[in-house]
Amino acid sequence: MGQSVKSDKGSAKRSNKSSGTLSARQLAVNALRQVHQGGYADVVVDRLLGQNPLESRDRRLFTEVVYGAVRRMRTLDAVIDALAKKSALGQPPNLRVVLHVGLYQILFLDHIPSSAAVDTTVELAKGNGLAGLAGFVNGLLRRLVRELEVGAGDDGGDENDGGDGVGDNYGDGVGVRKNDALLRLMHPTLDVVGRLGVGYSFPDWLVALWVGQFGVEETELLCEWMNQPPHLDLRVNGRRGSFESLEQILGTLDVVVSRIPGVPMGLRLSHSPGPIQEMPGFAAGEWMVQDASAQLVGYLVDPQPGEVVADLCAAPGGKSVHLAELMGDVGRVIALDKTGSRLKKVQQNVDRMGITSIEMLEGDAREVRTWDGMCDRVLVDAPCSGLGTLNRHADARWRQSPESIETLVVLQGEILASAARWVKPGGRLVYSTCTLHPAENEGVVKSFLAAHPGWAIDRVEEGNPVFPLMEVDGWVRVVPHRQDMDGFFMVRLRRV
């Protein structure tokens, strides 16, 4: 950012030829093309990496460009809209994809010289049937760099604020430090929701929702957090591994390893050092990948040895296995899921982690009645919009809508009502989601309690790891930019 297009031009080209980063960029073009055609970003990335092994450095560039360009799609399109005669959506699909690869590097990858981003993107255009438009690509990217260089020389002053609470931090959201030159270039008259939506690349309806929940200042922090590459959290299996041994082994993989405050068995890696299955301790079942906030769900359920516990939306099995570990693998854990193929993934994790107390059950949680009134504790980790994990699922922000949320709320309410039948008198029912949407969270719980007078919120006792996060109403909410974890909601209910 802010580097001259002419600087290091020769060295940039030599670096790309020797390092293979051009092939990583071409693979990114292939991936983005498939995502734009409806493919799921994580599925596309995994498939292409399996077919095209890359060195570690190129693998990181590929994944960052693909996931980053998908996350930042609205911002990148807005830049094209501002700099080209035709809108982004009016451009040939291949051209839009190639431009996204170049624009993302210029705006958000500070370690890549602007010259390298421009030159390699022009080559991508030539190599993807767009040789006739290579000059257009070159001119658009060079103009953007000039605009950013001009903006970087302006300290912005107080005029950045504009009276809407979006100040200097906003520049970092779009990759321009301490000024909003890029924003003025794209849309100079947007309101605060539009400015945050374009600058941080979120749909307006979602930004407006968060502004209503958290206010403008915190919404900006949340948007910024959701656009960062996700860290990798592990849950240590104390029955097979230890913090000390894993810290020592993983510390040799060129990653920063740290324990997660407030999460008893949580270990955080700064990034993934490569394929998960090849990491030390994976095959031996010494750990599972599980975000810190998801680990907290098990502590809220608080299963005891010898109890009958059910996980009604079990796949891929991380929470089921955690419940069994907390019980010392003594008792019964019923892992229910609607799809047999997803239960196979649960079984793989159960076998790898050395758990014997988990039983698989295929069926729809709304219909299965086999265990009615027989469970001490039931977990409903409900299907949800995933709006608390948008940094992990780059395309999720574009797949959800207010209408899809309404459909999910109905499904969540039906599953929770059915799960209540499984719980014996005096038993506990935990409802959790990885979304921040109030309708999917407290809205579902309030509707359930209104329709089921025999239930009440069971407040968490002091000493439980989730106690510091409990709100006055008795439920627990994890807000990503506050706790540095995925966004989660969870509440424990008691059958009275």
Side-chain angles (χ1 to χ4, degrees):
M1 195 78 56
Q3 299 193 33
S4 172
V5 175
K6 294 181 180 180
S7 66
D8 299 326
K9 184 174 181 180
S11 63
K13 287 186 175 180
R14 288 193 297 273
S15 174
N16 284 319
K17 288 181 179 179
S18 62
S19 68
T21 50
L22 187 58
S23 65
R25 291 179 172 96
Q26 178 58 58
L27 202 60
V29 168
N30 298 345
L32 289 172
R33 186 183 296 123
Q34 294 180 34
V35 172
H36 287 196
Q37 292 171 348
Y40 285 85
D42 53 351
V43 175
V44 170
V45 165
D46 287 345
R47 180 172 62 244
L48 289 183
L49 283 177
Q51 297 169 350
N52 305 272
L54 297 174
E55 295 181 1
S56 177
R57 179 175 57 179
D58 294 340
R59 180 188 180 98
R60 288 198 296 270
L61 175 62
F62 164 71
T63 55
E64 169 62 16
V65 169
V66 174
Y67 289 137
V70 172
R71 290 189 196 102
R72 298 287 193 164
M73 188 182 302
R74 185 178 182 189
T75 305
L76 302 180
D77 279 344
V79 173
I80 297 173
D81 291 346
L83 297 180
K85 292 181 180 179
K86 289 184 180 179
S87 69
L89 296 179
Q91 303 289 346
N94 273 0
L95 178 59
R96 180 179 174 230
V97 167
V98 168
L99 288 173
H100 278 193
V101 171
L103 291 169
Y104 182 77
Q105 293 172 81
I106 292 171
L107 289 171
F108 302 110
L109 297 187
D110 289 340
H111 65 282
I112 295 180
S114 298
S115 56
V118 172
D119 292 344
T120 55
T121 305
V122 170
E123 293 303 312
L124 284 176
K126 295 176 181 178
N128 285 272
L130 300 167
L133 293 170
F136 165 76
V137 172
N138 182 61
L140 185 144
L141 296 182
R142 285 174 179 267
R143 181 182 168 192
L144 172 63
V145 173
R146 288 195 299 271
E147 294 282 355
L148 297 180
E149 288 175 338
V150 171
D154 175 13
D155 64 12
D158 293 336
E159 67 183 7
N160 287 338
D161 196 334
D164 57 18
V166 182
D168 287 346
N169 287 339
Y170 181 81
D172 294 325
V174 293
V176 183
R177 297 178 185 84
K178 297 182 180 179
N179 72 86
D180 60 358
L182 180 59
L183 185 66
R184 292 196 298 267
L185 172 71
M186 294 187 299
H187 284 289
T189 60
L190 289 173
D191 62 12
V192 63
V193 169
R195 293 180 70 188
L196 290 172
V198 171
Y200 288 97
S201 195
F202 288 90
D204 283 349
W205 71 267
L206 183 54
V207 175
L209 175 76
W210 287 346
V211 168
Q213 283 182 269
F214 306 114
V216 172
E217 204 171 308
E218 281 209 76
T219 295
E220 185 173 3
L221 295 173
L222 177 57
C223 289
E224 187 173 4
W225 193 95
M226 288 294 191
N227 280 335
Q228 300 302 313
H231 39 59
L232 180 66
D233 290 352
L234 309 180
R235 192 189 73 246
V236 178
N237 180 2
R239 302 171 67 248
R240 290 194 168 185
S242 69
F243 278 113
E244 291 75 19
S245 63
L246 286 174
E247 286 173 326
Q248 183 176 3
I249 295 173
L250 295 173
T252 67
L253 300 180
D254 192 29
V255 295
V256 178
V257 182
S258 58
R259 303 192 187 188
I260 306 174
V263 183
M265 304 303 290
L267 201 61
R268 175 162 293 175
L269 279 61
S270 57
H271 61 274
S272 174
I276 298 297
Q277 296 83 351
E278 298 177 10
M279 287 172 54
F282 175 85
E286 296 181 25
W287 50 265
M288 283 192 74
V289 174
Q290 189 176 44
D291 187 80
S293 52
Q295 295 182 41
L296 292 175
V297 174
Y299 298 108
L300 181 60
V301 177
D302 194 24
Q304 302 300 309
E307 290 185 335
V308 177
V309 180
D311 181 0
L312 298 196
C313 304
K319 295 182 181 68
S320 296
V321 170
H322 192 202
L323 295 175
E325 290 175 1
L326 291 172
M327 297 165 65
D329 205 19
V330 177
R332 303 177 75 177
V333 177
I334 314 302
L336 172 73
D337 204 89
K338 189 176 181 180
T339 308
S341 60
R342 288 169 57 81
L343 281 175
K344 290 181 181 179
K345 180 64 175 176
V346 178
Q347 188 65 61
Q348 291 171 1
N349 282 318
V350 168
D351 294 341
R352 182 173 62 84
M353 301 296 283
I355 298 297
T356 62
S357 59
I358 296 180
E359 306 171 24
M360 306 295 160
L361 180 61
E362 182 177 349
D364 189 322
R366 296 170 294 179
E367 300 172 358
V368 176
R369 306 295 297 270
T370 312
W371 291 87
D372 281 10
M374 299 174 64
C375 296
D376 297 284
R377 299 170 196 264
V378 172
L379 168 62
V380 175
D381 187 46
C384 70
S385 60
L387 297 180
T389 61
L390 296 181
N391 64 328
R392 297 188 183 280
H393 305 287
D395 46 359
R397 67 188 70 186
W398 311 123
R399 295 185 180 278
Q400 297 297 342
S401 67
E403 292 74 26
S404 67
I405 302 296
E406 292 177 2
T407 301
L408 283 166
V409 166
V410 173
L411 174 63
Q412 292 155 351
E414 291 174 350
I415 294 176
L416 185 58
S418 297
R421 296 195 298 259
W422 288 49
V423 183
K424 63 175 62 173
R428 267 69 173 176
L429 171 61
V430 169
Y431 175 79
S432 67
T433 73
C434 59
T435 183
L436 298 174
H437 202 299
E440 298 181 82
N441 295 334
E442 55 263 45
V444 169
V445 173
K446 289 177 180 179
S447 295
F448 172 82
L449 292 174
H452 298 79
W455 288 84
I457 292 178
D458 187 37
R459 300 179 68 86
V460 183
E461 62 280 357
E462 191 170 359
N464 189 300
V466 303
F467 178 80
L469 299 173
M470 185 173 62
E471 297 184 358
V472 65
D473 293 297
W475 43 63
V476 174
R477 194 188 320 271
V478 180
V479 181
H481 64 279
R482 297 176 187 168
Q483 283 82 38
D484 197 23
M485 305 178 191
D486 287 354
F488 247 81
F489 174 90
M490 58 194 88
V491 64
R492 190 170 65 196
L493 308 172
R494 180 171 57 90
R495 187 171 183 175
V496 296

